[in-house]
Amino acid sequence: MANSMARSFLQVAATEEVASPLRVVQIEGLVILKIIKHCKEFSPALVTGQLLGLDVGTVLEVTNCFPFPIREEDEEIEADGANYQLEMMRCLREVNVDNNTVGWYQSTILGSYQTVELIETFMNYQALKLSDSFMELYRAKNFTGEKLREKNLSWVDIFEEIPIKVSNSALISAFMTELESDTPVTQCDHDRLQLSTKPFMERNMEFLIECMDDLSMEQQKFQFYYRSLSRQQVQQQAWLQKRRAENMARKAAGEEPLPEEDPSNPIFKPIPEPSRLEGFLITNQIANYCNQINAVAGQSFNRLYLMKSLHDK
């Protein structure tokens, strides 16, 4: 996940600058290895870190990174985290290493990252790769069905994926070439023939069931909203009929009719519609889990058919 963090979103909006759209993220191979090492060392705990580099036109160049330390719950995480980042960037600047913050990375478990907290983090740090229509609605805090239809926004339109290009220096590329085996065909990868996908499938199914439960709770919120709205409309109609009958009697008596709307009456107070943001994120996450299950199941069937053919022969 990469985003421009040199200035906050509000600062850019205040200066009315039009930033070049981000088209590709170019990341050094060494940075990828550092991220993999950090995530693997602390797995299954979730970790995060800072990305450093340059923002050149439509290309975001990631040339370095450093991990954030994992702290205990009783420590002041925000204050310590900010001091740690500043100290790390000061040290990097002293040794003449890129220290311009261009983004951050975060590990996930089976792609379970689409949360409201992630959206808030992106918005606070000028997240250019949230879609423009979604960012506009998020700033207005208005995720009603009417606004979503007006913007033609669905759950698949929240994030915009950026292609990633891995870049290495000429020296590293030459070194990697020397490390390559002369006879790659003779290398055996027995893991590809492993038939069991039980752990991966089980975790995906567990997360999928949790997401379905969360989605069901979100749907219950809207069912309660529509029941309350329907009940309010019935109460309003009953009140209007009563007021109209009263006005007919007053008109017959030569008196002025009373207004048919009474803003002070609680039944005319609009009921706020629940936000659909949580539902959108949960739906997106469900689609992610389903795609992973489908991919793993397809590969498993291929291996099973292959082994069955070999066994028959």
Side-chain angles (χ1 to χ4, degrees):
M1 300 175 185
N3 60 299
S4 179
M5 294 171 55
R7 292 170 294 174
S8 70
F9 181 85
L10 296 178
Q11 287 174 330
V12 174
T15 56
E16 296 184 355
E17 295 180 359
V18 179
S20 301
L22 188 60
R23 300 299 185 191
V24 64
V25 174
Q26 180 174 300
I27 184 169
E28 296 284 345
L30 181 60
V31 177
I32 296 179
L33 294 177
K34 286 183 176 180
I35 295 174
I36 293 174
K37 181 175 181 291
H38 183 208
C39 297
K40 187 174 181 180
E41 285 181 349
F42 293 92
S43 181
L46 301 182
V47 296
T48 184
Q50 200 88 346
L51 299 176
L52 308 173
L54 297 172
D55 188 359
V56 184
T58 60
V59 180
L60 185 66
E61 298 182 2
V62 182
T63 58
N64 202 355
C65 69
F66 63 85
F68 291 156
I70 298 180
R71 294 177 170 81
E72 301 296 332
E73 296 181 356
D74 56 350
E75 296 187 38
E76 298 180 2
I77 297 178
E78 292 187 3
D80 289 349
N83 294 334
Y84 175 79
Q85 294 179 46
L86 293 175
E87 182 64 19
M88 281 293 299
M89 287 187 286
R90 184 187 66 80
C91 295
L92 292 172
R93 183 168 58 251
E94 290 180 353
V95 296
N96 198 25
V97 176
D98 288 342
N99 58 83
N100 183 40
T101 302
V102 295
W104 51 278
Y105 66 86
Q106 172 185 319
S107 64
T108 66
I109 298 178
L110 300 178
S112 55
Y113 64 90
Q114 303 191 45
T115 62
V116 175
E117 291 77 16
L118 182 72
I119 298 294
E120 293 174 349
T121 304
F122 270 132
M123 291 298 296
N124 290 333
Y125 292 107
Q126 189 186 348
L128 296 178
K129 296 320 291 178
L130 290 172
S131 64
D132 294 336
S133 55
F134 176 81
M135 287 181 24
E136 183 178 346
L137 288 181
Y138 190 86
R139 287 195 297 269
K141 301 294 182 182
N142 190 349
F143 283 94
T144 61
E146 179 182 354
K147 283 294 182 181
L148 293 174
R149 288 190 294 272
E150 178 183 330
K151 296 294 183 180
N152 195 26
L153 185 71
S154 67
W155 55 271
V156 297
D157 301 322
I158 297 178
F159 296 97
E160 294 182 8
E161 293 187 5
I162 314 173
I164 295 179
K165 177 182 177 182
V166 180
S167 174
N168 288 315
S169 65
L171 184 61
I172 294 179
S173 298
F175 179 69
M176 295 295 292
T177 302
E178 290 293 329
L179 293 178
E180 289 183 359
S181 174
D182 295 333
T183 56
V185 178
T186 62
Q187 297 179 1
C188 296
D189 187 2
H190 299 290
D191 291 339
R192 296 187 180 184
L193 299 178
Q194 185 177 359
L195 301 181
S196 175
T197 58
K198 183 178 179 181
F200 185 84
M201 292 289 287
E202 283 185 352
R203 293 300 298 275
N204 264 297
M205 291 301 297
E206 289 174 2
F207 289 146
L208 181 59
I209 292 172
E210 290 179 3
C211 282
M212 294 300 296
D213 292 338
D214 294 339
L215 184 61
S216 177
M217 293 179 63
E218 288 295 316
Q219 291 176 340
Q220 290 177 11
K221 293 180 183 178
F222 282 96
Q223 291 174 358
F224 177 78
Y225 163 73
Y226 285 118
R227 285 197 301 267
S228 300
L229 187 63
S230 177
R231 185 165 54 249
Q232 185 187 57
Q233 292 174 348
V234 172
Q235 293 174 349
Q236 290 175 354
Q237 290 298 325
W239 188 89
L240 286 174
Q241 291 178 2
K242 181 179 178 181
R243 177 55 62 89
R244 287 168 182 169
E246 185 179 353
N247 284 338
M248 291 179 62
R250 291 175 66 88
K251 186 176 182 180
E255 299 177 357
E256 288 292 330
L258 298 174
E260 293 189 355
E261 293 184 1
D262 185 6
S264 62
N265 195 322
I267 64 174
F268 287 98
K269 184 179 180 180
I271 301 176
E273 181 178 347
S275 173
R276 297 177 183 265
L277 176 58
E278 281 284 0
F280 269 36
L281 293 174
I282 294 172
T283 305
N284 217 337
Q285 196 64 64
I286 290 175
N288 188 24
Y289 290 142
C290 290
N291 290 336
Q292 291 184 103
I293 292 173
N294 184 44
V296 174
Q299 295 174 3
S300 299
F301 277 123
N302 291 337
R303 286 195 292 264
L304 289 172
Y305 283 127
L306 174 61
M307 295 306 296
K308 182 177 183 298
S309 299
L310 293 175
H311 183 269
D312 293 341
K313 291 181 180 180

